[in-house]
Amino acid sequence: MYLGKLADVQMGYPFRSRLEHDPQGDVAVIQMKDIDDANLVHTDEAIKVTLPRGKEHHLLRAGDLLFRSRGRSNGAALVSGDVGTAVLSAPLLLIRPHGVLPDYLCWFINTPTTQAQLAALSEGTSVRMISAEALKVLDIPLPSQATQQRIVQAAALAERERSLMVQIAAQRQRLTTHILMQHAHHIPKKAHP
């Protein structure tokens, strides 16, 4: 099923002028720099602004996806409940799912196969970009909600395993280095005749 049938897809809020931090601001502006390589959103260093009245429908909600429409990665980040009062800045795209589990959609968009499809959809020569219209026609397999949930759980377990394996490898390397350094510094005592 097309993404456009499962979610609303729109450009982030189009700020008319250069963003200036407002110490009195009550809305965090999520920009490309606020989404890390692991597709996690960080609002602690986001610019704060005061959003004009009547623009509250632009505020992010838990379950929204933030999509990098340009750059080397076209990943999606899932908005959790702890993002606070925030708005997404253009050129990022906002995906608001309504016919699919947000976690499942985020997982699907970030898979290597889908990322390859998205790379083929990107337009431009120097700065590759994926338009909202191109994203809307992305074909999304739609299993039952229970299956979507199981896929999300299995993907989370696989990611947890990957993370633990990286930690284990790092610990093993530290231990090996420590043992080898002990051997390097151990100078055998000469036997007295």
Side-chain angles (χ1 to χ4, degrees):
M1 185 168 296
Y2 289 141
L3 177 59
K5 294 197 179 294
L6 300 172
D8 298 324
V9 180
Q10 64 191 45
M11 184 69 74
Y13 188 80
F15 288 93
R16 301 286 177 222
S17 59
R18 190 169 166 269
L19 281 172
E20 298 286 340
H21 179 71
D22 177 1
Q24 309 302 318
D26 56 352
V27 178
V29 179
I30 306 299
Q31 302 176 73
M32 209 87 76
K33 68 176 182 64
D34 300 311
I35 303 172
D36 67 18
D37 290 340
N39 296 313
L40 298 174
V41 181
H42 302 279
T43 58
D44 41 325
E45 293 184 21
I47 289 175
K48 297 275 190 169
V49 299
T50 301
L51 202 62
R53 291 197 189 286
K55 302 295 183 183
E56 291 79 18
H57 63 281
H58 285 282
L59 294 177
L60 298 178
R61 305 176 197 159
D64 285 347
L65 301 183
L66 313 182
F67 181 79
R68 292 187 194 96
S69 62
R70 59 178 68 168
R72 70 187 192 291
S73 166
N74 296 117
L78 181 66
V79 175
S80 63
D82 63 355
V83 77
T85 306
V87 67
L88 186 65
S89 174
L92 291 163
L93 296 176
L94 174 63
I95 302 171
R96 187 161 281 160
H98 51 72
V100 60
L101 291 179
D103 302 70
Y104 168 78
L105 184 57
C106 189
W107 166 80
F108 182 79
I109 288 173
N110 290 329
T111 62
T113 304
T114 305
Q115 286 295 302
Q117 283 181 285
L118 291 169
L121 290 173
S122 63
E123 304 163 348
T125 51
S126 60
V127 178
R128 309 284 290 169
M129 185 176 146
I130 297 173
S131 69
E133 295 309 310
L135 193 58
K136 286 178 186 177
V137 297
L138 180 67
D139 194 25
I140 309 289
L142 192 63
S144 71
Q145 217 170 44
T147 300
Q148 290 176 46
Q149 191 61 49
R150 283 194 296 274
I151 288 171
V152 166
Q153 290 168 342
L157 288 171
E159 177 55 30
R160 178 76 179 128
E161 178 190 33
R162 188 203 61 76
S163 173
L164 288 171
M165 295 304 284
V166 167
Q167 289 175 30
I168 289 169
Q171 292 286 15
R172 184 178 294 132
Q173 179 64 41
R174 277 195 286 280
L175 179 61
T176 302
T177 300
H178 178 73
I179 291 170
L180 293 175
M181 288 301 283
Q182 282 184 327
H183 285 291
H185 290 292
H186 179 70
I187 300 169
K189 295 179 182 171
K190 292 184 180 177
H192 294 290

